[in-house]
Amino acid sequence: MIAILVSATVALFVALLGTPVFIKFLIHKNYGQFVREDGPTGHFIKRGTPQMGGVVIIAATVFGVAASMLVSQRLPSVSALLALYLMAGLGLIGFLDDFTKIRKQRSLGLTPRAKLIGQGVVGVSFAVLALQFPNENSRTPASTKISFLRDTDFDLDLSLVGATGATVGLILFVIWANLLVSAWSNAVNVTDGLDGLATGVSIITFGAYVLVGIWQLNQSCQLVATAGPRCYEVRDPQDLAIVAAAVTGACVGFLWWNANPAKIFMGDTGSLALGGALAGLSILSRTELLAVMLGGLFVVIVSSVVIQVGFFKMTGKRVFKMAPLQHHFELSGWGEVTIVIRFWLIAGLLAGLGMGIFYAEWVAS
């Protein structure tokens, strides 16, 4: 528990103290935000606000995890390294996107194809590595089974045997993992449209994953002497909780400067990194479908984009005044702070419901 607290605390202070330093650097380099011409007119005053704040979130997370390992006097597990790799890898893609926007002086960065290729390279390598490195209990960081509250009976190896089954299972798992990585990174990305919105929702979501990791550690199947009939097969629950705590602390420190009126934006560097971290934690903690509830607001907002685009292509009409959903309420006359706080409340309710389902399943079993 001390290691988890150290991780969160160090990450919080690194982000809190490091963000203003990074803001000064970005202002000195004239690395400011570019605003969509077709967006809400109220956003034009944000033009020039420093972006790429995700660099601080990633750095603070890494420092938090490193400090925790120093206190514990041990090396990070493979699961922790994989989660950090996915976060940093997608963050790098986001950084290139943000830097392209600044260099070309426009609101569009990398092409969609370039983004997909980058996400694919990081996602495929993560998925392949996640099925390697069995520990002394023969548990790998991830499994080919689809998971909800834990691994289900639905196995992507299609119950085939031998080398053929293993190959099919690997390929299907890589596809499944990449769908999750792409979905979550884009979900956080489209949520990042108002000051503090994505950061606050991330605090709630990753905070829930801290609790998931602690509970899985206490009920781990690897604790042979105390393991119950409904224990969890997660390889490294403590280290996943440490990573989640570091991300939570980093977001809290960053939110101090990102809250309305924002002094800095996380940019695609931050949103893609946070989406990658969320996808990684859901896969490695065997809670892939539960994450839909824990990060429910991200799902709602990205769904509004899908609905808007799909309905417009079919009928030529729009469901919302503008997508994603937060901009619909802006154009409906809601204040930005009002939208952000109410969305945080909804995110908290959805995460709380997810945690209730997680705990109720264990109690009922």
Side-chain angles (χ1 to χ4, degrees), residues 42-100:
H43 286 211
F44 291 148
I45 62 173
K46 301 181 181 183
R47 192 188 306 271
T49 302
Q51 57 176 340
M52 296 194 295
V55 170
V56 176
I57 296 176
I58 296 171
T61 299
V62 173
F63 273 108
V65 174
S68 177
M69 296 303 159
L70 285 175
V71 169
S72 303
Q73 296 184 339
R74 62 188 180 86
L75 296 174
S77 66
V78 174
S79 296
L81 293 175
L82 283 172
L84 292 175
Y85 165 71
L86 190 55
M87 181 183 189
L90 291 184
L92 176 59
I93 297 169
F95 176 83
L96 295 175
D97 187 53
D98 288 333
F99 189 77
T100 301

Side-chain angles (χ1 to χ4, degrees), residues 31-322:
Y31 289 169
Q33 170 77 8
F34 292 88
V35 179
R36 291 171 51 181
E37 296 295 336
D38 60 341
T41 55
H43 286 211
F44 291 148
I45 62 173
K46 301 181 181 183
R47 192 188 306 271
T49 302
Q51 57 176 340
M52 296 194 295
V55 170
V56 176
I57 296 176
I58 296 171
T61 299
V62 173
F63 273 108
V65 174
S68 177
M69 296 303 159
L70 285 175
V71 169
S72 303
Q73 296 184 339
R74 62 188 180 86
L75 296 174
S77 66
V78 174
S79 296
L81 293 175
L82 283 172
L84 292 175
Y85 165 71
L86 190 55
M87 181 183 189
L90 291 184
L92 176 59
I93 297 169
F95 176 83
L96 295 175
D97 187 53
D98 288 333
F99 189 77
T100 301
K101 294 174 185 177
I102 294 169
R103 187 183 63 182
K104 294 186 177 180
Q105 299 287 300
R106 63 178 190 178
S107 61
L108 298 176
L110 296 178
T111 64
R113 181 180 180 183
K115 271 189 178 181
L116 285 175
I117 292 174
Q119 289 175 335
V121 170
V122 176
V124 169
S125 56
F126 165 82
V128 172
L129 291 172
L131 293 180
Q132 314 303 318
F133 308 105
N135 64 5
E136 64 276 8
N137 297 309
S138 301
R139 289 179 176 85
T140 55
S143 77
T144 56
K145 293 182 178 180
I146 301 295
S147 61
F148 176 32
L149 305 170
R150 60 181 79 238
D151 281 343
T152 66
D153 293 331
F154 188 86
D155 200 325
L156 294 172
D157 69 6
L158 303 179
S159 298
L160 297 174
V161 296
T164 301
T167 301
V168 172
L170 175 61
I171 293 173
L172 291 178
F173 174 75
V174 167
I175 295 172
W176 170 241
N178 273 269
L179 285 174
L180 293 176
V181 169
S182 179
W184 282 117
S185 58
N186 286 303
V188 179
N189 185 246
V190 298
T191 302
D192 182 34
L194 301 180
D195 294 358
L197 177 56
T199 311
V201 177
S202 295
I203 291 170
I204 294 168
T205 305
F206 287 102
Y209 264 109
V210 175
L211 298 179
V212 168
I214 292 173
W215 187 257
Q216 289 178 336
L217 173 64
N218 291 334
Q219 306 297 328
S220 174
C221 294
Q222 298 175 93
L223 301 176
V224 180
T226 58
R230 294 294 285 172
C231 57
Y232 297 95
E233 297 285 353
V234 180
R235 185 190 192 277
D236 305 297
Q238 181 179 15
D239 280 10
L240 293 180
I242 287 171
V243 172
V247 178
T248 303
C251 287
V252 171
F254 182 74
L255 182 60
W256 184 269
W257 305 100
N258 183 233
N260 187 280
K263 301 295 188 296
I264 187 172
F265 300 137
M266 69 169 66
D268 284 7
T269 308
S271 60
L272 293 186
L274 290 173
L278 181 51
L281 287 173
S282 71
I283 293 169
L284 299 174
S285 66
R286 317 289 175 89
T287 55
E288 296 156 355
L289 299 182
L290 179 64
V292 174
M293 187 66 68
L294 298 180
L297 189 72
F298 292 131
V299 177
V300 170
I301 290 179
V302 77
S303 296
S304 71
V305 176
V306 175
I307 292 170
Q308 182 87 322
V309 173
F311 193 78
F312 183 79
K313 287 185 176 180
M314 289 189 296
T315 66
K317 299 180 180 180
R318 293 178 171 83
V319 177
F320 307 106
K321 293 180 180 180
M322 184 178 179

